[in-house]
Amino acid sequence: MATVTFDNVVKAYDNGVTVLHDINLDVKDGEFVVFVGPSGCGKSTLMRMLAGLESVTQGAIRIDGARVDGLVPREREIAMVFQDYALYPHKTVYENMAFGLRLRKIPKSEIDARVKEAADILQLGHLLERKPRNLSGGQRQRVAMGRAIVRHAKVFLFDEPLSNLDAKLRNEMRVEIKKLHRRLGATMIYVTHDQVEAMTLADRIAVLSGGHVVQYGTPDEIYNSPRTTFVAGFTGSPPMNLLKLDLDGARGRGHGIEIAVPSDVLQRQGRLGGGHITLGVRPESVLHAMDRNTMPAGRCALDARVVVTEPLGAETLCTFEVAGQQLVARLGADVRLEPGTAASLAIDPAKVHWFDAESGMSLSQRSAK
Ligand code: ADP
């Protein structure tokens, strides 16, 4: 078990392009941290630097307070699970797990005990004599995790481990990984571009964009208090609706919406400047009423047109058009709306998020932490 810290870490590749800028992150002992962001944001590079597979251009990486960025991978006591499993095809499951320990000259009885322990944790006991080609994708992924477990490493790294699996198996393995974390209590760092994986697995999430950590917080903080429009638009499925409004005194106007902007938001907006403001509304905060007269009081009402409905069983996603802009609402399971028909929507002003239209920075009190 171990803490991990990134202190002012910068990465520039040989072509001179800086792909990670001044990264500062701390991972607590036993914490599950997810690096999430779109393709190319730098999350794999960050993990590969921790593993020792990439050099650090500037700054320091520490495990339990001791610098590791000068050490070779083998000396870092890190175990890594890759998306392509990287199993030896001609070795059995047992040998795949034992091989790294043999190279480290660990006694045979100790190897046997560790492999059996890992097989027990991952329910691989009956597969120990099989070769990888005779395993399912999920079983192969388990062997790859077993190989990490037997190392008794200080830190576990997962690099998009589930991206080669189909959706059902991915969900199952996600639960397996979460259980594994509970059972081992180990420090784990997990890289993914999938925000659902990030939200469900993480104790804390580092959201990366363009080589910067734009927010580092619990899933609850990331979801409920996104610091920027990028974070807001990246989390949630479907993500937050973002509407650019004209700021007219204390009111935001546009797309058929007119809504009062709270004074504390206006004050922060004043500091940042600009004649526009971005309104953020989660799909679950958009309400639908048959007509405006049935709308609960105190809500901001909008006239909309139904574009498409997606019944998902437990809920219905409905895309509306509001004065040229699309707005997605998460509605009840039994809601059935005909495309092209008129609808009345309402937004609860207490549930909206405010962002500076130019910088994308949050103006809402709850995300100003
Ligand atoms: P992610 O894992 O978020 O998809 P990466 O860490 O793989 O992103 O890449 C971050 C950026 O670094 C990308 O712009 C990528 O093109 C660039 N990059 C990755 N590896 C190299 C390399 N060996 N040489 C130059 N640029 C690289």
Side-chain angles (χ1 to χ4, degrees), residues 94 97-115 150:
Y94 185 100
M97 289 200 272
F99 187 63
L101 303 181
R102 287 202 210 292
L103 290 183
R104 284 181 173 75
K105 305 264 185 284
I106 292 183
K108 228 174 155 183
S109 56
E110 170 76 15
I111 293 176
D112 196 55
R114 288 199 200 179
V115 171
V150 297

Side-chain angles (χ1 to χ4, degrees), residues 64-135:
D64 272 343
R67 269 187 91 150
V68 296
D69 44 273
L71 303 179
V72 297
R74 193 160 34 81
E75 295 166 337
R76 299 191 186 199
E77 297 186 66
I78 281 175
M80 196 154 173
V81 181
F82 298 93
Q83 62 175 276
D84 60 5
Y85 321 128
L87 300 180
Y88 299 106
H90 54 280
K91 292 189 196 297
T92 62
V93 167
Y94 185 100
E95 280 305 318
N96 261 287
M97 289 200 272
F99 187 63
L101 303 181
R102 287 202 210 292
L103 290 183
R104 284 181 173 75
K105 305 264 185 284
I106 292 183
K108 228 174 155 183
S109 56
E110 170 76 15
I111 293 176
D112 196 55
R114 288 199 200 179
V115 171
K116 297 257 161 72
E117 181 198 19
D120 180 42
I121 291 172
L122 296 163
Q123 293 157 5
L124 286 170
H126 60 298
L127 301 172
L128 288 173
E129 294 313 314
R130 288 223 193 143
K131 300 269 174 67
R133 68 170 175 276
N134 298 324
L135 299 175

Side-chain angles (χ1 to χ4, degrees), residues 170-239:
R170 214 160 45 225
N171 291 345
E172 286 171 19
M173 290 305 292
R174 213 169 61 207
V175 175
E176 289 295 316
I177 290 175
K178 200 156 183 165
K179 283 188 345 206
L180 185 66
H181 179 243
R182 288 256 161 78
R183 170 133 187 197
L184 300 179
T187 307
M188 295 187 172
I189 301 181
Y190 188 105
V191 162
T192 181
H193 62 273
D194 182 328
Q195 57 93 19
V196 176
E197 269 175 36
M199 293 292 286
T200 51
L201 284 168
D203 293 320
R204 278 193 295 171
I205 300 173
V207 184
L208 281 98
S209 170
H212 295 271
V213 175
V214 284
Q215 192 165 355
Y216 187 36
T218 62
D220 181 45
E221 285 164 352
I222 299 283
Y223 191 79
N224 293 313
S225 310
R227 192 168 285 161
T228 67
T229 46
F230 174 81
V231 178
F234 192 72
T235 49
S237 176

Side-chain angles (χ1 to χ4, degrees), residues 53-358:
L53 305 172
E54 287 290 349
S55 62
V56 174
T57 309
Q58 269 176 48
I61 300 179
R62 295 188 169 84
I63 295 180
D64 272 343
R67 269 187 91 150
V68 296
D69 44 273
L71 303 179
V72 297
R74 193 160 34 81
E75 295 166 337
R76 299 191 186 199
E77 297 186 66
I78 281 175
M80 196 154 173
V81 181
F82 298 93
Q83 62 175 276
D84 60 5
Y85 321 128
L87 300 180
Y88 299 106
H90 54 280
K91 292 189 196 297
T92 62
V93 167
Y94 185 100
E95 280 305 318
N96 261 287
M97 289 200 272
F99 187 63
L101 303 181
R102 287 202 210 292
L103 290 183
R104 284 181 173 75
K105 305 264 185 284
I106 292 183
K108 228 174 155 183
S109 56
E110 170 76 15
I111 293 176
D112 196 55
R114 288 199 200 179
V115 171
K116 297 257 161 72
E117 181 198 19
D120 180 42
I121 291 172
L122 296 163
Q123 293 157 5
L124 286 170
H126 60 298
L127 301 172
L128 288 173
E129 294 313 314
R130 288 223 193 143
K131 300 269 174 67
R133 68 170 175 276
N134 298 324
L135 299 175
S136 69
Q139 289 166 338
R140 278 181 214 158
Q141 188 53 259
R142 276 203 185 86
V143 180
M145 290 201 279
R147 209 171 35 181
I149 293 173
V150 297
R151 296 266 317 275
H152 288 184
K154 283 186 163 181
V155 182
F156 285 76
L157 305 186
F158 295 88
D159 190 3
E160 306 234 9
L162 307 185
S163 51
N164 284 340
L165 304 177
D166 64 40
K168 182 169 178 289
L169 201 50
R170 214 160 45 225
N171 291 345
E172 286 171 19
M173 290 305 292
R174 213 169 61 207
V175 175
E176 289 295 316
I177 290 175
K178 200 156 183 165
K179 283 188 345 206
L180 185 66
H181 179 243
R182 288 256 161 78
R183 170 133 187 197
L184 300 179
T187 307
M188 295 187 172
I189 301 181
Y190 188 105
V191 162
T192 181
H193 62 273
D194 182 328
Q195 57 93 19
V196 176
E197 269 175 36
M199 293 292 286
T200 51
L201 284 168
D203 293 320
R204 278 193 295 171
I205 300 173
V207 184
L208 281 98
S209 170
H212 295 271
V213 175
V214 284
Q215 192 165 355
Y216 187 36
T218 62
D220 181 45
E221 285 164 352
I222 299 283
Y223 191 79
N224 293 313
S225 310
R227 192 168 285 161
T228 67
T229 46
F230 174 81
V231 178
F234 192 72
T235 49
S237 176
M240 186 184 286
N241 297 289
L242 295 167
L243 300 145
K244 189 171 170 183
L245 304 182
D246 295 325
L247 199 50
D248 179 5
R251 303 195 77 75
R253 287 206 178 92
H255 307 289
I257 298 174
E258 183 174 340
I259 184 168
V261 183
S263 57
D264 58 324
V265 170
L266 281 172
Q267 267 177 17
R268 282 181 218 111
Q269 166 75 8
R271 278 205 295 275
L272 293 164
H276 301 283
I277 195 160
T278 299
L279 170 71
V281 193
R282 291 271 179 213
E284 55 271 32
S285 305
V286 179
L287 306 176
H288 168 256
M290 292 318 282
D291 64 64
R292 274 190 180 231
N293 299 328
T294 61
M295 200 71 77
R299 304 285 158 88
C300 161
L302 327 171
D303 291 320
R305 193 157 292 280
V306 179
V307 179
V308 67
T309 56
E310 299 166 271
L312 296 177
E315 63 189 18
T316 306
L317 297 179
C318 189
T319 304
F320 296 95
E321 192 198 296
V322 183
Q325 169 104 20
Q326 299 216 331
L327 194 71
V328 179
R330 189 189 297 282
L331 304 176
D334 50 353
V335 174
R336 293 288 175 270
L337 299 170
E338 274 302 306
T341 56
S344 291
L345 303 181
I347 295 170
D348 182 348
K351 299 237 172 95
V352 303
H353 300 252
W354 295 100
F355 302 93
D356 181 72
E358 275 73 40

Side-chain angles (χ1 to χ4, degrees), residues 11-20 35-48 54 159-160 191-193 208 210-211:
K11 176 67 185 180
Y13 279 110
D14 292 343
N15 57 10
V17 180
T18 301
V19 298
L20 287 167
F35 297 163
V36 70
S39 179
C41 69
K43 52 195 186 300
S44 301
T45 302
L46 193 56
M47 174 171 284
R48 290 170 61 79
E54 287 290 349
D159 190 3
E160 306 234 9
V191 162
T192 181
H193 62 273
L208 281 98

